Each structure stands twice: as structure tokens, then as C-alpha cells.
Amino acid sequence: MKSLPDPIRSTAEKIRKLEIQGARNVAIAAIEATETLAGQTKAKSKKEFLQQLLGAKETLFASRETEPLMRNAVRLIISQVEKSGEKSVNRLAKIVSLASQHFLEDLENSNERIAEIGTKRIRNNSVILTHCHSSTVTHLLERAKREGKIFEVICTETRPVFQGKITAKEMLDLDVKTTFIIDSAARFFMNQVDLVIVGADAITSEGNVINKIGTSTVALVAHEARTPFYVVSELLKFDPATMYGDYEKIEERNPNEVWKDAPRNLNIRNPAFDVTRRDFIHGIICEEGIISPHSIAEVMQRKYPWVFE
Ligand code: RUB
């Protein structure tokens, strides 16, 4: 029989190469890969199965370092196996499958709830600016459109990898009037914008938000123009390690993405994300409602106490 491809390695590779992008999609792919691994396992004992899962965790976590949603999901799924009194590998694999499905359902429900709440913030005939490609943002805009809201969208191209093009295409598919601008034109257009909505990769215990590089510049510009700036995010993008003093690591990507045939000896830096301070964020639109970034740790303690375990 032909050996099956390692679902973890191939998924981690796709995540690393941005073939799968955006925190939600990354988490979903990692969960599905973990479930597939469990379904295919030939482990003979619980100990061996757990070793496989922990190896998978390490590979997935290393694929992109600024992805707490993926980390929270994979940790939760593995903890179900660790905690279980079950010895049979088959039954432990079933536990992984159930935990994975459950997490994915919750994620879907949160996404829908965020769209429902966020849509109410969109006024008719408004102009919305977004940066990068966030599936949470585009889902919200899709729902707003479906509910008959009339609005237009400005998308930044999002150098160096141009995820803004994905957003622009999705908006056109929805029949939304869309304008595509270079990142540095954000200030030029901000006075015409009624609302900025961006996604998140990570939220720290202090309520700062980490999202695609350039987000914090957009937030500063929005602040100066007094344009409301909202983040849409599942609460589980919260990184519990920041509560205990760790800084969220910011992934630094290959300089080739910035300049392929760059002159030798040129120092090129390519951070994938930046930190937007809570003071510039009007609210985080999450599955619990629109919350102040300041309240994130309390909301997490109440809603998802297990992340702190
Ligand atoms: C994508 C990005 C998105 C967040 C949120 O960066 O910064 O805004 O991940 O996305 P990259 P979502 O393209 O480098 O992954 O709302 O889909 O989770």
C-alpha cells in the first residue's frame, strides 16, 4: 500500500508558504491535519500516540509563530487525550476527532456571531477601509451585503505579499464597489473613510492587537482623522502567554518577499505583523459582543478559563 503523505508536514508547509493564510484558516488547517493524523495513526499505545501528537504540535507551531488561535486549538485537542483515562488508541483517536469537530463548530458559530454584531456597525452609504485579507472581515462584509446594507470598500494592497488582492476580488464577487490602494495611500484616503475594520492574529493580555504589518499605521492614521477603528476577532486569538510576561513573537519572513534580486549587503527586514496599541482601537468585535480591548483578560477568564491552564 502506498504510504499516506504526512498530513502535519504538508499542512505546516502550506501554512509556511502562505498557501493557507489568515489566522482562522491557519487554525482550521492545523485542526484538520491533527484530526487526520489521529485517524491514520498506527500508534500501539497511548504514550506513542501522545508522542505523535506532541511532535505534530511542534511542527505546526513552528510553521508560523504569531498564531495563538492555532496554538490554543491544538493544545486544547491534545489536552483531551492527556486527560482521558482511555487506553485504546482507537478510542483516543475518536476523542481527537470529536474535540476537533467541536472546536471547528465553535469557530464557525463565533464567526457568524461576529458578522451579526459587526453588520450593525455598518451604516448605509458608508466607506469601509480594510487592510490585508481577513476572512472574518470579509465574512462580516458578506453578511452586511446580504442584509441589504449599501457600502463601499477600500482595500490596501498589503505589501509585500499583496493579500489585499484577495480581499478586493472577494468584494467584487459580492458586487461591492471596491477601490484598491497602495498601503502608503491610507492617509490620503482616510478622510473619506467612515469605518476601519481589520482582523487580528493575536491579542495580548493588555488588549493590544497584532495583525498584518501596516495595521498599526492605519490605526494611527484613523486616530488622527477620528475615524473609528475596529478589530474583528474570535476571543481565542488571545495569547495566554502574554498574561505571564511573554511578548508575542512577531514572525519575520524571508527578505526575498520584499525584493527578489536585491543588491548584496543590503539589509532587508520583513516583519509579517505589527502591534496596534489598545488606545487606537475603538472596540474588538468578538463572539461576546463589542468589547473594550482593556477588558480582554477578564472576558477570557470568564468565557475560556481553560486557556490559562
Ligand atoms: C493575515 C492577517 C489577517 C489575520 C486575521 O496575515 O493579518 O488580518 O490573520 O485573519 P497573513 P482571519 O496573510 O500573513 O496570514 O480573520 O482570517 O483570521
Side-chain angles (χ1 to χ4, degrees):
M1 203 175 77
K2 241 175 93 185
S3 71
L4 292 158
D6 178 343
I8 299 296
R9 230 173 317 125
S10 62
T11 301
E13 194 55 16
K14 284 187 194 147
I15 293 173
R16 202 182 53 74
K17 288 191 195 151
L18 294 184
E19 284 168 28
I20 299 169
Q21 66 79 227
R24 268 188 101 247
N25 291 332
V26 164
I28 291 170
I31 295 165
E32 288 173 347
T34 308
E35 191 185 357
T36 307
L37 172 85
Q40 293 176 354
T41 187
K42 301 265 185 300
K44 300 268 180 304
S45 62
K46 177 174 178 176
K47 188 171 166 215
E48 200 186 325
F49 184 45
L50 263 174
Q51 272 166 357
Q52 285 180 349
L53 288 173
L54 294 174
K57 175 173 111 170
E58 206 177 307
T59 306
L60 289 167
F61 285 14
S63 64
R64 291 199 82 182
E65 48 185 348
T66 319
E67 300 298 350
L69 179 63
M70 163 170 68
R71 293 199 291 270
N72 287 331
V74 173
R75 268 198 210 111
L76 178 70
I77 292 165
I78 297 179
S79 77
Q80 307 294 304
V81 175
E82 284 166 338
K83 281 182 194 158
S84 164
E86 195 59 72
K87 295 244 167 5
S88 141
V89 173
N90 264 347
R91 271 179 247 138
L92 289 168
K94 185 81 194 147
I95 289 175
V96 169
S97 174
L98 285 176
S100 304
Q101 290 307 319
H102 193 216
F103 199 98
L104 291 174
E105 272 164 37
D106 283 352
L107 211 54
E108 196 50 45
N109 291 338
S110 297
N111 198 26
E112 212 43 65
R113 186 85 186 110
I114 290 167
E116 186 187 340
I117 297 164
T119 292
K120 296 189 199 156
R121 286 286 148 133
I122 297 180
R123 293 214 170 90
N124 267 332
N125 304 310
S126 58
V127 178
I128 297 153
L129 184 140
T130 189
H131 181 60
C132 194
H133 174 258
S134 151
S135 62
T136 319
V137 172
T138 56
H139 186 66
L140 188 166
L141 296 174
E142 185 190 340
R143 176 152 180 161
K145 177 77 185 171
R146 213 172 350 118
E147 288 189 11
K149 290 279 171 84
I150 300 160
F151 59 92
E152 54 181 278
V153 170
I154 298 180
C155 312
T156 53
E157 61 177 355
T158 318
R159 269 190 59 84
V161 196
F162 303 106
Q163 290 94 331
K165 290 184 183 174
I166 310 174
T167 308
K169 285 186 194 155
E170 286 184 16
M171 290 302 104
L172 290 180
D173 286 345
L174 289 176
D175 226 3
V176 168
K177 185 177 170 201
T178 305
T179 305
F180 188 71
I181 63 170
I182 58 172
D183 300 336
S184 43
R187 174 67 189 88
F188 187 92
F189 290 101
M190 193 53 82
N191 287 335
Q192 301 167 28
V193 173
D194 299 295
L195 185 66
V196 178
I197 312 180
V198 297
D201 282 271
I203 307 175
T204 72
S205 62
E206 291 163 299
N208 300 326
V209 167
I210 288 123
N211 190 51
K212 176 55 54 194
I213 192 79
T215 302
S216 66
T217 313
V218 174
L220 284 169
V221 166
H223 183 74
E224 190 242 4
R226 295 175 184 270
T227 306
F229 179 98
Y230 284 95
V231 172
V232 291
S233 173
E234 290 90 1
L235 286 168
L236 284 169
K237 287 178 179 168
F238 174 85
D239 186 346
T242 59
M243 187 87 183
Y244 306 111
D246 285 341
Y247 284 103
E248 185 67 34
K249 289 200 184 72
I250 303 283
E251 175 192 354
E252 185 125 2
R253 296 185 62 82
N254 196 318
N256 275 341
E257 289 180 348
V258 178
W259 190 350
K260 268 206 172 48
D261 306 308
R264 272 165 175 255
N265 304 327
L266 178 66
N267 185 28
I268 298 179
R269 299 285 306 272
N270 186 18
F273 304 105
D274 63 18
V275 183
T276 300
R277 269 177 39 209
R278 59 185 183 182
D279 316 66
F280 298 103
I281 300 169
H282 274 64
I284 298 176
I285 305 178
C286 65
E287 62 270 38
E288 284 290 276
I290 303 185
I291 62 165
S292 155
H294 293 74
S295 66
I296 187 78
E298 278 164 57
V299 177
M300 287 304 296
Q301 294 275 10
R302 175 164 53 76
K303 175 92 178 153
Y304 300 107
W306 57 262
V307 299
F308 298 97
E309 282 170 14

